Amino acid sequence: MRRISVFGATGSIGESTFDLMMRAGGPEAFHTVALTGGRNVTRLAEMARALRAGVAVTAHDDCLPALRDALEGSGIAAAAGSEALLEAADRPADWVMSAIVGAAGLAPGFRALRHGTTLALANKESLVTAGPLLMAEAARHGARILPVDSEHSAIFQALVGEDLAAVERIVLTASGGALRDWPLDKLAKATVAEALAHPNWSMGPRITIDSASMFNKALEVIETREYFGVAPEQIEVIIHPESIIHSMVGYRDGAIMAHLGAADMRHAIGYALNWPERGELPVARLDFAALGRLSFRAPDEARYPALRLAREVMAVRGQAGAAFNAAKEIALDHFIGGGVGFADMAGIVEDTLAALSRETGLGNAPMSLQEVLAADLRARALATGIASDLA
Ligand code: NDP
Ligand code: MG
């Protein structure tokens, strides 16, 4: 039986992963090594019982008593804290889902690679903050990283049997998020609830707001560059409101391979779970006659400064990805907390990058995970100061 661990099991990606595992037979089909979550320990314990996991880990020490209570009599071990997350990653597993949200997902996934595992990577922040380190670590240990972000899974699938050298362009599709049709002057005053109303995808709250600001797409452009190793100029972004085409690869003969499907993350999660085969998946089938048409438009950089910032980050590389992501996380915290406006987030990130660049120069490539985390911490401190001044 395949040994599986799921990091971030209680989140949106975690729930979809759990759903696919249960449909495939749950504990009869998989040996679940570890499940991790954050504050939702009731759900974590339910999942651990259903899959008969070896250990359930909450990221937060103060949640441990509640997790222990919820697991009482199950024989499942309970643990808490960041060290426990790393210990869970050290437990041998054949397939590990990395679906913690934010930079907090980097260290556990990185650790799992050491054991030569197949890492199903939803946590795009890992590649944005530490792409070169992560890819080198996987190569060093004969581990494999399978992309779970829908765009990157689409690209990965469009590349099967093809030569990367024949790739001319990669076209990332973007829904445009909840506010895509809002006039620019109204956009600045968007509330959290408005940014959370995603038209197509059902996702965790942070990535949903990042979709509306296009910070999500900005992270994905960098993720594409780091995972597939293509040049930044080869990566395009196109707004595709229907979210039917999940992304495309253009080859030097002008042919374009696209991945189409319903906007359901179980496409990408299931592909990674069944890889290198294809399994039956419980996703809706497309009815083209009912769809009628697919539409596209170019993203407006005045609306979406995040896309321009992603280009700047790719030009610098080094610590810029870690700083960009950390500043974005802080800006998002302040937007959610009500301290700054929707349109202020990009300014906070831009000012943080500029300040850090003056301080240390962003181009120094981190040689270790510790250096990535140090750049992340410094950017968080700077971004917090900038956001507090604004509020
Ligand atoms: P959610 O917010 O729904 O879930 C996040 C998970 O991480 C939960 O299990 C949560 O626990 C846990 N968690 C939160 N904070 C911490 C922390 N500090 N340390 C450890 N664990 C923590 O996120 P999503 O599922 O939407 O996203 C997960 C990742 O996948 C992100 O990197 C996102 O960008 C990426 N992704 C998501 C997509 C989607 O459709 N949702 C699509 C493509 C990529 P709890 O809830 O118990 O507190
Ligand atoms: Mg995506």
Side-chain angles (χ1 to χ4, degrees):
M1 268 209 288
R2 228 171 356 147
R3 297 165 301 175
I4 289 192
S5 290
V6 181
F7 287 79
T10 51
S12 163
I13 293 286
E15 283 285 358
S16 292
T17 308
F18 176 75
D19 175 65
L20 292 181
M21 289 174 73
M22 290 307 288
R23 285 169 190 266
E28 314 307 327
F30 305 104
H31 173 67
T32 302
V33 176
L35 295 182
T36 89
R39 302 229 158 259
N40 194 353
V41 290
T42 309
R43 183 62 183 144
L44 180 61
E46 259 171 33
M47 292 170 138
R49 284 176 187 270
L51 285 168
R52 293 187 217 129
V55 63
V57 184
T58 163
H60 312 289
D61 292 318
D62 59 309
C63 292
L64 186 57
L67 180 60
R68 283 215 175 100
D69 283 352
L71 286 171
E72 174 123 41
S74 68
I76 298 166
S82 46
E83 267 309 309
L85 285 174
L86 293 181
E87 278 162 25
D90 275 333
R91 295 190 175 211
D94 306 299
W95 192 90
V96 173
M97 167 55 77
S98 168
I100 289 173
V101 64
L106 171 60
F110 195 85
R111 179 65 75 93
L113 291 174
R114 189 189 279 184
H115 304 285
T117 189
T118 292
L119 186 69
L121 189 66
N123 181 267
K124 63 192 82 187
E125 296 89 344
S126 294
L127 280 166
V128 171
T129 58
L133 288 175
L134 201 77
M135 298 307 279
E137 187 75 355
R140 184 174 310 126
H141 299 289
R144 183 175 286 279
I145 300 176
L146 295 175
V148 171
D149 213 346
S150 62
E151 295 76 3
H152 306 76
S153 175
I155 297 162
F156 188 83
Q157 294 181 53
L159 279 165
V160 171
E162 303 283 354
D163 184 355
L164 205 56
V167 171
E168 195 170 66
R169 57 202 279 232
I170 288 185
V171 185
L172 290 177
T173 50
S175 69
L179 313 173
R180 67 178 172 223
D181 298 320
W182 284 36
L184 205 52
D185 54 333
K186 211 180 143 206
L187 197 64
K189 297 186 198 78
T191 65
V192 173
E194 286 161 341
L196 275 172
H198 199 288
N200 308 336
W201 294 94
S202 156
M203 308 184 284
R206 299 183 69 88
I207 184 174
T208 302
I209 299 174
D210 284 349
S211 276
S213 63
M214 283 278 198
F215 265 108
N216 180 50
K217 207 52 55 181
L219 295 175
E220 290 180 357
V221 169
I222 302 169
E223 182 186 10
T224 302
R225 193 252 173 281
E226 296 296 344
Y227 183 80
F228 296 102
V230 292
E233 315 79 72
Q234 290 176 290
I235 307 168
E236 301 166 30
V237 173
I238 189 86
I239 307 242
H240 167 42
E242 295 86 1
S243 295
I244 295 295
I245 299 181
H246 297 149
S247 276
M248 305 180 252
V249 179
Y251 292 93
R252 65 179 173 210
D253 61 358
I256 298 205
M257 305 295 278
H259 180 283
L260 285 73
D264 185 331
M265 282 308 294
R266 291 176 302 180
H267 266 300
I269 298 166
Y271 184 78
L273 188 60
N274 293 316
W275 185 90
E277 286 157 27
R278 282 189 188 272
E280 285 284 323
L281 292 178
V283 295
R285 271 36 178 182
L286 293 183
D287 175 345
F288 285 96
L291 274 173
R293 63 191 294 270
L294 299 179
S295 60
F296 306 93
R297 59 179 190 252
D300 172 1
E301 286 210 352
R303 283 179 83 83
Y304 303 118
L307 293 177
R308 170 178 54 79
L309 293 173
R311 301 268 165 212
E312 292 173 14
V313 166
M314 288 190 293
V316 176
R317 234 171 156 208
Q319 305 181 349
F324 178 70
N325 178 68
K328 190 278 296 176
E329 289 191 23
I330 294 294
L332 181 58
D333 289 343
H334 280 77
F335 173 61
I336 292 172
V340 306
F342 182 78
D344 293 329
M345 288 191 284
I348 294 169
V349 174
E350 184 158 19
D351 291 352
T352 303
L353 288 173
L356 206 58
S357 175
R358 281 192 300 273
E359 240 181 39
T360 57
L362 282 170
N364 315 322
M367 306 300 288
S368 68
L369 201 57
Q370 285 64 36
E371 286 176 289
V372 172
L373 298 175
D376 172 284
L377 272 183
R378 184 64 195 134
R380 278 172 204 271
L382 285 166
T384 302
I386 293 166
S388 307
D389 287 348
L390 266 179

